[in-house]
């Protein structure tokens, strides 16, 4: 009957209960959407960096990361590559050539990042980024460029670009290649400056023979990097290599994310404080309205703690309903943004692109994160209940029943 | 045999710097099975006396013994337990739990006493029948008239099988006919259950139905009369 009493008490003053449930619902909804979106942005930033630049892990000649020169490259051993691919949790190992070149067409020129890769297996997922033309094959003699670069030079599929650079051991690297495909990159830096070419063509252009700059490792799960790294270090290479994980390669990105995450948490903290006062206000009102009734119940023989437990049950029910509804309202939106991110408006797009961030509302589906925030808000609702506890414990029935 | 004994009860309230003496040396005994009215004008100390006998308030001086327990020595938790198991309350404003039905209101007291479900059901039904509300058991207080609510309150007060029932102005919100009907029910239950009823009132028709009338004035007993 105590549960029945608590449940019916909730609906005694429907408006007050709806306001309380609404505040909790809003807090949960806002916290989940904001944090999922924030974590989604971080995930997208890391994914971009990992798929285009670094991989989850990267194997390269010792000293390459400090001096990323075309002279500082390693021999590509196909047996080692096979072994890498057979390590548990390794999704694929992708050899790459990375260099720089000066690109010209007509009277225009621009510095570019040159990446030679195996288009069939590379982590860059060229098929997903293709907006025009075709993904070039490993034996093709054509290149792919970002949309920004295509726009800058005013060229389309089949047009040619001249590449001038420096090859292995200061050999001249100069060639003219037709554009076989145009790629879309969310990050404007890549869109404007990236030239992607088949690995063989890049090795030919830079005169590196079978050497590569690095081997990018993509894992099935990012968290497996600590366990895969020593296995990669244990393989037999032709020369001394170093194996770096993404945390070592993009520390500045991770630090920026950490700083931004703290900012987000502070914002959510402020929201929690505001919501706490909202809930506290309704609990205070409820306690004042029911002071007389509490006096009656204590008079007829109800222990104060038992009375508090009834009000606590009411609060638990209200908090539970609010938290659950907040989750049920937020989750479909989180799910939608995870599977089908919505592009930003033009103004926000420019602002985000200037920071190198994919300009779309994307969210992660992280049930632990959801549960964490639901629990925090639930706990806030419970802490606020210390007020009726104090009131009930100090209430004098005769005074409470004096109207 | 005396069940309730008060000895030199005083109660002094402080209102700002002025002391108000609500009770001024009240000594009285109430025996088993009594049906007693405490009467007197407003401010004479009727409610204060009932509150102190009911363990809801502490006296400034004197003693209250119920059976062989001096309730002025009990702490808050002991007093709550004592009230639950020994005293039934009927309030002027009925004070039923608004979200519970008549039957649930009566059962609630027994639930706090941790009585078996079957006993709770049986006693709630028989008490509501005794107060003439067998067809209103599943109604909530707001669906009942004032007189019906007060009858539920009487049934609730008796549910815990108390030694005595304290009723502070139980008929004040009722019309004369309903008030007399309620008093008749209380008198019947007093006889059938053997429970002491002590009620405060200043309604002459109600006073006429009491078997003993204790009159208070300025916190003192000025008369104590047995009626036929």
């Amino acid at each position: 009957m105590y549960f029945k009493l608590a449940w019916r008490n909730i609906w005694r003053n429907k408006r007050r209960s709806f306001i309380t449930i609404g505040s909790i619902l809003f807090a949960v909804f806002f916290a989940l959407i904001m944090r999922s979106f924030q974590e989604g942005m971080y995930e997208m930033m890391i994914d971009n960096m990992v798929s285009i630049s670094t991989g989850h892990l990267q194997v390269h000649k010792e000293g390459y990361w400090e001096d990323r020169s075309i002279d500082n490259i390693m021999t590509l051993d196909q047996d080692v590559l096979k072994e890498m691919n057979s390590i548990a949790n390794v999704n694929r190992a992708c050899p790459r050539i990375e260099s720089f070149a000066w690109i010209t067409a007509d009277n225009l020129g621009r510095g570019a990042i040159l990446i030679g890769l195996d288009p069939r297996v590379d982590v860059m997922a060229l098929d997903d980024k293709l907006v025009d033309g075709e993904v070039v094959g490993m034996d093709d003699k054509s290149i792919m460029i970002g949309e920004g670069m295509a726009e800058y030079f005013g060229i389309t599929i089949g047009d040619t670009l001249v590449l001038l650079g420096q090859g292995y051991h200061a050999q001249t690297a100069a060639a003219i290649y037709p554009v076989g495909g145009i790629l879309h990159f969310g990050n404007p830096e890549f869109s404007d400056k990236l030239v992607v070419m088949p690995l063989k063509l890049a090795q030919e252009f830079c005169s590196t023979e079978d050497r590569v700059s690095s081997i990018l490792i993509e894992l099935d799960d990012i968290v497996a990097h600590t366990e895969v790294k020593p296995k990669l270090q244990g393989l037999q290479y032709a020369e001394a290599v170093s194996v770096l994980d993404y945390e070592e390669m993009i520390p500045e990105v991770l630090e920026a994310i950490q700083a931004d995450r703290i900012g987000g948490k502070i914002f959510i903290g402020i929201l929690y404080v505001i919501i706490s006062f909202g809930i506290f206000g309704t609990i205070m009102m409820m306690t004042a309205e029911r002071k007389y009734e509490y006096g009656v119940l204590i008079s007829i023989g109800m222990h104060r703690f038992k009375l508090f437990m009834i009000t606590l049950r009411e609060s638990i029910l209200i908090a539970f309903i609010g938290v659950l509804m907040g989750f049920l309202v937020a989750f479909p939106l989180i799910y939608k943004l995870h599977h089908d991110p919505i592009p930003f408006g033009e103004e926000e797009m420019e602002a985000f692109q200037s920071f190198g961030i994919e300009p779309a509302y994307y969210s992660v589906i992280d049930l632990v994160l959801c549960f964490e925030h639901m629990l925090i808000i639930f706990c806030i609702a419970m802490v606020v209940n210390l007020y009726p506890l104090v009131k009930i414990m100090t209430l004098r029935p005769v005074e409470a029943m004096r109207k | 045999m005396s069940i309730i004994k008060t000895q030199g009860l005083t109660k002094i309230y402080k209102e700002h710097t002025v002391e108000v003496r609500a009770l001024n040396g009240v000594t009285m005994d109430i025996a088993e099975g009594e049906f007693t009215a405490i009467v007197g004008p407003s401010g004479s100390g009727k409610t204060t006396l009932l509150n102190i006998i009911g363990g809801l308030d502490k006296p400034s001086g004197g003693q209250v013994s119920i059976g062989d327990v001096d309730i002025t020595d009990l702490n808050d938790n002991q007093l709550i337990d004592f009230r639950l198991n020994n005293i039934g309350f009927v309030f002027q404003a009925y004070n039923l739990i608004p979200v519970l039905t008549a039957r649930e209101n009566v059962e609630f007291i027994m639930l706090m006493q941790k009585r078996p479900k079957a006993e709770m059901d049986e006693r709630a039904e028989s008490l509501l029948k005794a107060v003439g509300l067998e067809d209103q058991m599943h109604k909530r207080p707001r669906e009942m008239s004032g007189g019906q609510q007060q009858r539920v309150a009487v049934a609730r007060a008796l549910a815990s099988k108390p030694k005595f029932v304290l009723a502070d102005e139980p008929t004040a919100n009722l019309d004369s006919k309903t008030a007399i009907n309620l008093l008749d029910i209380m008198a019947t239950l007093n006889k059938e259950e053997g429970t002491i009823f002590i009620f405060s009132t200043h309604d002459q028709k109600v006073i006429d139905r009491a078997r003993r009338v204790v009159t208070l004035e300025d916190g003192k007993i000025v008369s104590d009369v047995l009626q036929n």
Side-chain angles (χ1 to χ4, degrees):
Chain A
M1 195 188 291
Y2 292 129
F3 180 85
K4 198 191 277 181
L5 182 62
W7 178 253
R8 288 183 190 168
N9 272 334
I10 292 174
W11 305 113
R12 226 166 113 177
N13 189 333
K14 289 193 182 72
R15 193 160 45 175
R16 188 180 57 214
S17 297
F18 282 136
I19 289 171
T20 315
I21 290 170
S23 336
I24 296 171
L25 184 154
F26 173 76
V28 171
F29 175 80
F30 193 76
L32 295 191
I33 292 292
M34 192 190 147
R35 291 285 297 127
S36 299
F37 172 59
Q38 201 179 20
E39 289 299 327
M41 199 168 70
Y42 302 151
E43 190 182 277
M44 211 151 54
M45 278 168 81
I46 292 172
D47 274 358
N48 267 342
M49 296 300 290
V50 162
S51 68
I52 296 172
S53 303
T54 64
H56 292 130
L57 288 155
Q58 193 179 116
V59 182
H60 44 240
K61 190 176 175 182
E62 205 169 67
Y64 172 77
W65 196 248
E66 293 75 31
D67 176 18
R68 271 171 269 183
S69 141
I70 192 71
D71 292 336
N72 223 352
I73 54 180
M74 64 186 279
T75 308
L76 177 63
D77 184 331
Q78 290 299 336
D79 292 336
V80 171
L81 198 61
K82 268 184 203 164
E83 281 184 68
M84 284 175 172
N85 276 311
S86 66
I87 295 172
N89 283 317
V90 169
N91 190 31
R92 50 188 154 178
C94 317
R96 278 188 182 184
I97 282 279
E98 286 188 30
S99 188
F100 299 94
W102 180 253
I103 313 286
T104 63
D106 293 333
N107 55 351
L108 293 171
R110 169 176 277 188
I113 308 159
L114 195 141
I115 295 182
L117 46 75
D118 184 342
R120 296 160 304 181
V121 299
D122 197 85
V123 294
M124 205 182 279
L126 296 171
D127 285 324
D128 299 340
K129 294 183 171 62
L130 189 74
V131 289
D132 198 7
E134 285 177 357
V135 172
V136 294
M138 188 60 160
D139 297 317
D140 284 353
K141 302 284 183 192
S142 51
I143 60 172
M144 306 178 83
I145 59 172
E147 274 177 311
M149 184 180 281
E151 197 179 317
Y152 175 74
F153 288 114
I155 58 174
T156 55
I157 301 301
D159 292 342
T160 54
L161 285 173
V162 175
L163 277 69
L164 292 169
Q166 185 182 307
Y168 187 56
H169 286 174
Q171 294 180 70
T172 303
I176 182 165
Y177 296 121
V179 174
I182 293 173
L183 304 169
H184 168 78
F185 295 100
N187 185 327
E189 180 78 5
F190 295 134
S191 182
D192 292 345
K193 293 181 180 165
L194 203 63
V195 172
V196 177
M197 55 208 298
L199 183 64
K200 281 184 186 171
L201 192 64
Q203 284 171 328
E204 188 184 300
F205 176 71
C206 297
S207 311
T208 61
E209 299 179 352
D210 60 350
R211 295 179 188 85
V212 293
S213 306
S214 55
I215 301 170
L216 273 63
I217 309 295
E218 186 193 53
L219 303 172
D220 293 329
D221 187 349
I222 195 164
V223 293
H225 69 90
T226 48
E227 125 197 7
V228 174
K229 188 176 173 181
K231 290 179 183 164
L232 289 170
Q233 285 166 328
L235 297 176
Q236 292 296 313
Y237 299 95
E239 59 262 276
V241 298
S242 63
V243 180
L244 297 182
D245 59 38
Y246 77 98
E247 288 174 348
E248 293 166 304
M249 290 184 280
I250 51 168
E252 65 292 340
V253 173
L254 298 179
E255 279 164 20
I257 286 174
Q258 194 53 31
D260 193 66
R261 185 179 279 137
I262 291 168
K265 283 182 178 174
I266 291 172
F267 189 80
I268 291 283
I270 294 168
L271 172 82
Y272 286 161
V273 172
I274 295 168
I275 294 295
S276 304
F277 278 109
I279 300 171
F280 183 65
T282 48
I283 293 282
M284 221 163 85
M285 221 158 65
M286 180 271 285
T287 310
E289 275 174 23
R290 287 167 65 185
K291 197 171 129 190
Y292 185 92
E293 185 183 320
Y294 291 158
V296 171
L297 287 169
I298 293 170
S299 298
I300 63 173
M302 175 164 272
H303 275 279
R304 292 168 193 271
F305 190 70
K306 198 170 268 178
L307 181 55
F308 165 68
M309 289 307 286
I310 290 177
T311 64
L312 185 68
R313 273 190 186 92
E314 290 170 29
S315 305
I316 288 174
L317 283 169
I318 285 186
F320 183 76
I321 294 169
V323 163
L324 187 70
M325 284 178 70
F327 175 75
L328 291 177
V329 173
F331 192 75
L333 188 57
I334 292 170
Y335 187 85
K336 198 260 176 239
L337 289 176
H338 179 76
H339 292 285
D340 185 16
I342 300 171
F344 288 163
E346 266 180 37
E347 275 180 29
E348 296 99 321
M349 195 175 275
E350 276 174 25
F352 272 73
Q353 280 182 334
S354 65
F355 288 107
I357 298 169
E358 192 95 17
Y361 292 104
Y362 167 78
S363 64
V364 287
I365 296 179
D366 184 345
L367 292 178
V368 174
L369 182 138
C370 292
F371 182 72
E372 202 177 89
H373 286 279
M374 288 159 75
L375 188 68
I376 290 171
I377 294 165
F378 188 80
C379 289
I380 287 172
M382 293 302 100
V383 169
V384 167
N385 266 281
L386 289 174
Y387 179 77
L389 172 67
V390 171
K391 283 286 168 192
I392 288 168
M393 290 301 176
T394 55
L395 183 128
R396 297 190 59 208
V398 171
E399 283 173 11
M401 289 192 292
R402 200 172 287 148
K403 277 193 174 170
Chain B
M1 185 190 154
S2 288
I3 299 290
I4 304 165
K5 284 182 185 174
T6 70
Q7 185 66 47
L9 276 187
T10 58
K11 180 71 185 178
I12 300 165
Y13 293 109
K14 270 198 171 178
E15 282 182 5
H16 305 293
T17 52
V18 183
E19 280 191 352
V20 178
R21 203 169 269 268
L23 292 179
N24 195 1
V26 173
T27 299
M28 65 187 282
D29 286 3
I30 294 176
E32 223 167 293
E34 277 197 17
F35 195 67
T36 303
I38 312 278
V39 303
S42 286
S44 58
K46 302 185 296 289
T47 300
T48 306
L49 179 61
L50 291 188
N51 284 342
I52 291 173
I53 293 174
L56 295 174
D57 207 354
K58 295 264 182 193
S60 307
Q63 283 184 322
V64 182
S65 301
I66 313 285
D68 48 6
V69 179
D70 182 351
I71 64 165
T72 52
D73 287 342
L74 300 180
N75 66 26
D76 185 60
N77 276 336
Q78 289 169 328
L79 267 176
I80 290 174
D81 275 335
F82 189 83
R83 285 199 297 268
L84 176 63
N85 295 308
N86 296 282
I87 310 172
F89 288 91
V90 178
F91 303 94
Q92 182 182 331
Y94 330 129
N95 295 340
L96 300 174
I97 301 170
V99 294
L100 298 183
T101 62
R103 183 191 179 127
E104 287 166 343
N105 263 288
V106 178
E107 285 181 346
F108 193 69
I109 291 277
M110 293 183 273
L111 181 77
M112 289 194 287
Q113 289 181 310
K114 297 182 178 136
R115 298 268 190 87
K117 175 88 173 72
E119 188 192 334
M120 276 167 37
D121 287 347
E122 194 195 325
R123 186 152 175 81
E125 260 178 52
S126 74
L127 282 169
L128 286 168
K129 204 171 167 186
V131 296
L133 291 175
E134 60 268 43
D135 54 344
Q136 309 285 321
M137 281 189 202
H138 302 293
K139 284 190 177 168
R140 291 198 190 178
R142 67 166 185 273
E143 297 163 331
M144 292 189 277
S145 67
Q148 287 172 326
Q149 287 187 55
Q150 199 60 305
R151 280 190 273 162
V152 177
V154 170
R156 178 180 72 176
L158 287 164
S160 61
K161 295 186 177 168
K163 286 196 173 79
F164 60 98
V165 172
L166 292 175
D168 187 12
E169 308 259 8
T171 58
N173 289 349
L174 307 176
D175 60 69
S176 299
K177 199 179 157 196
T178 314
I180 288 165
N181 176 254
L182 182 81
L183 259 289
D184 288 343
I185 289 169
M186 283 165 62
T188 309
L189 288 167
N190 164 254
K191 274 184 195 159
E192 284 173 2
E193 300 258 336
T195 311
I196 299 168
F197 273 79
I198 306 166
F199 49 94
S200 67
T201 184
H202 42 238
D203 181 340
Q204 193 53 50
K205 285 176 191 162
V206 174
I207 295 167
D208 292 344
R209 290 186 133 65
R211 285 196 288 278
R212 179 181 171 190
V213 180
V214 178
T215 309
L216 283 179
E217 260 181 42
D218 297 327
K220 286 181 183 170
I221 295 176
V222 293
S223 79
D224 189 344
V225 181
L226 286 174
Q227 300 186 136
N228 287 330

